[in-house]
Amino acid sequence: AQTVTQSQPEMSVQEAETVTLSCTYDTSESDYYLFWYKQPPSRQMILVIRQEAYKQQNATENRFSVNFQKAAKSFSLKISDSQLGDAAMYFCAFKYGNKLVFGAGTILRVKS
Amino acid sequence: SQTIHQWPATLVQPVGSPLSLECTVEGTSNPNLYWYRQAAGRGLQLLFYSVGIGQISSEVPQNLSASRPQDRQFILSSKKLLLSDSGFYLCASSRPWDSSYEQYFGPGTRLTVT
């Protein structure tokens, strides 16, 4: 089965601190893409970062980076220097066929 | 880049009434199109996807149907709404030449069935 597991329903972080959101997945594909999407209170889904599975180098986008462990099928998101605007629901996803399979999401709260 | 439009933004409908939600895409031709439903505070449930005009794949048997009458238009419909159809409906698009199938999302429609 093609599944994504986000084991942390909710996380909290102090402003300016670092937080890591976990994601594990199960797929029979050998070549695929992984994504983190952010859904703020406006509910507009925004792509945060993406990773190509055949690339060993972890993707980075400004304060956002991933720790991709292909053998462990783990794809965690690290947010550095957290800001109030990072408060949102975060979804992990991977490409399967011509679709994306999404996890259940992690709510991130940022404390000032 | 792509822009996804959805309307209406908000809709309140009585049980048993029909439904039509529309999604249109700008900025790309022959996109792959997707309809998702999201319950409050929950994840995304893929309802339908389409890889071309008239080509619809259903992911979950339900009270809804989808159509794609034009290349960049995707419609979600129901003949008779149920209370369980309430939710937040998102339309998404991916570019046909992008092997990652990265998806771009519209702003969503909040549907309340009373």
Side-chain angles (χ1 to χ4, degrees):
Chain A
Q2 319 296 317
T3 59
V4 177
T5 301
Q6 295 181 247
S7 59
Q8 306 151 317
E10 288 191 28
M11 292 282 286
S12 291
V13 64
Q14 199 69 34
E15 203 174 0
E17 297 295 309
T18 296
V19 64
T20 299
L21 308 184
S22 65
C23 171
T24 58
Y25 59 93
D26 187 18
T27 180
S28 53
E29 305 280 297
S30 58
D31 188 19
Y32 48 89
Y33 291 80
L34 294 153
F35 305 88
W36 277 99
Y37 280 88
K38 169 185 177 181
Q39 188 180 41
S42 67
R43 303 193 79 170
Q44 174 70 59
M45 292 281 284
I46 304 163
L47 178 70
V48 174
I49 199 165
R50 78 184 219 180
Q51 172 81 42
E52 299 168 70
Y54 66 86
K55 287 188 177 180
Q56 293 187 344
Q57 185 174 4
N58 290 324
T60 299
E61 287 287 341
N62 301 314
R63 297 182 295 107
F64 299 87
S65 61
V66 299
N67 182 6
F68 175 47
Q69 303 289 329
K70 190 172 183 179
K73 294 184 179 177
S74 171
F75 183 59
S76 60
L77 175 69
K78 186 171 82 171
I79 306 174
S80 304
D81 186 25
S82 297
Q83 300 175 359
L84 294 177
D86 295 333
M89 193 156 190
Y90 287 81
F91 292 97
C92 176
F94 73 88
K95 167 191 171 293
Y96 177 63
N98 51 15
K99 303 175 289 186
L100 298 186
V101 179
F102 285 87
T106 295
I107 297 172
L108 178 65
R109 305 190 193 282
V110 181
K111 301 175 184 176
S112 60
Chain B
S1 64
Q2 300 181 68
T3 302
I4 318 299
H5 300 281
Q6 288 187 245
W7 61 89
T10 304
L11 191 60
V12 180
Q13 292 283 92
V15 168
S17 64
L19 173 73
S20 181
L21 302 182
E22 189 165 345
C23 169
T24 58
V25 179
E26 290 181 8
T28 188
S29 296
N30 195 30
N32 301 309
L33 296 173
Y34 308 83
W35 277 114
Y36 293 90
R37 179 168 58 201
Q38 185 181 28
R42 304 291 295 275
L44 302 177
Q45 179 187 31
L46 179 62
L47 302 175
F48 301 94
Y49 69 94
S50 172
V51 298
I53 295 175
Q55 300 178 62
I56 309 294
S57 296
S58 175
E59 288 293 295
V60 182
Q62 63 222 317
N63 186 41
L64 302 170
S65 63
S67 62
R68 184 171 177 173
Q70 299 181 42
D71 180 45
R72 290 175 286 178
Q73 184 185 31
F74 204 23
I75 296 173
L76 183 68
S77 303
S78 174
K79 292 182 179 178
K80 290 185 178 181
L81 283 169
L82 305 172
L83 285 174
S84 57
D85 292 323
S86 293
F88 189 65
Y89 289 81
L90 284 161
C91 179
S93 169
S94 67
R95 294 169 294 192
W97 62 87
D98 183 352
S99 58
S100 77
Y101 284 85
E102 174 184 329
Q103 292 184 8
Y104 298 80
F105 286 81
T109 294
R110 185 182 308 276
L111 171 66
T112 303
V113 182
T114 59

